[in-house]
Amino acid sequence: MIKKIHAYLGLLSFSALVVYGIAGLEASFGGDGQRIPQGRHEPYTAAAGASDREIADDVYRRLQPPLAAPIPSFAIKRNENNDLAFTFYSVNGPTAVTVLEKERRLRIEVVRNDLGRFFGGLHATTLGARSPDLRITLWKIYNEVAIWSLVGMVLTGAYLGLASRPRLRWSRYVLAAGTLGFVALYVVTR
């Protein structure tokens, strides 16, 4: 029964493990390749007397950047030219917006993530992430289930390793070595 539970938990979290693996490889070996933003301008006139928060919300409603959440208040700033500037983040890449009030237009710079950075964004998207998009909400739920499935795999795997027949004694040594290695890394990094 424990073997079946272990196997099903592994199958349930398989896709998440692929995402985590690609994200880890990207973080380790992806480098800092320059991504060239695609810029454009759109006409825009801010409402008279609108606060920075109201303007940012209006721009969000107007642009509807895919998979992005509205801007949190702490991220709304004025740049050195006193133009309102903020960035919408999503797994597809950031969309930087500058409200050029004197010119009555928006400067929009979109950077598309490559596959590695896309998976890195998915890897970091958990239940704590804010997004009104149903696709991201479904991913957040699946990611949470996959994380708990991995915890279940660890527990069932440890049980299977400890309860194995004597001919699989090496599994106990591997479990002990992995645990000791983790504890040693924990101690030296604290």
Side-chain angles (χ1 to χ4, degrees), residues 34-178:
Q34 295 290 349
R35 299 178 295 166
I36 299 170
Q38 299 173 354
R40 70 180 194 275
H41 289 87
E42 287 188 16
Y44 179 78
T45 303
S51 68
D52 290 352
R53 164 91 264 159
E54 291 168 334
I55 294 171
D57 290 341
D58 186 47
V59 169
Y60 176 78
R61 282 188 298 275
R62 178 186 173 121
L63 296 180
Q64 297 180 359
L67 306 177
I71 297 294
S73 294
F74 69 84
I76 301 170
K77 307 268 189 243
R78 296 245 171 209
N79 65 16
E80 62 278 353
N81 297 325
N82 202 32
D83 294 321
L84 188 60
F86 44 84
T87 303
F88 298 106
Y89 290 97
S90 81
V91 295
N92 286 328
T95 301
V97 177
T98 305
V99 181
L100 305 168
E101 294 175 87
K102 294 173 187 166
E103 300 175 28
R104 295 185 177 190
R105 64 183 184 158
L106 301 173
R107 181 175 53 231
I108 304 160
E109 295 177 335
V110 179
V111 176
R112 296 291 290 183
N113 281 342
D114 58 18
L115 188 62
R117 286 189 174 116
F118 174 79
F119 280 140
L122 280 180
H123 174 265
T125 304
T126 60
L127 287 178
R130 301 173 337 119
S131 178
D133 193 285
L134 177 63
R135 295 167 291 181
I136 294 297
T137 301
L138 292 174
W139 171 260
K140 291 187 306 187
I141 293 168
Y142 170 71
N143 202 21
E144 189 73 16
V145 169
I147 290 168
W148 286 105
S149 294
L150 291 172
V151 171
M153 282 184 61
V154 167
L155 296 175
T156 56
Y159 171 79
L160 290 171
L162 293 172
S164 64
R165 297 183 193 121
R167 66 184 169 87
L168 297 176
R169 186 179 314 260
W170 60 268
S171 64
R172 293 180 185 160
Y173 299 137
V174 170
L175 176 62

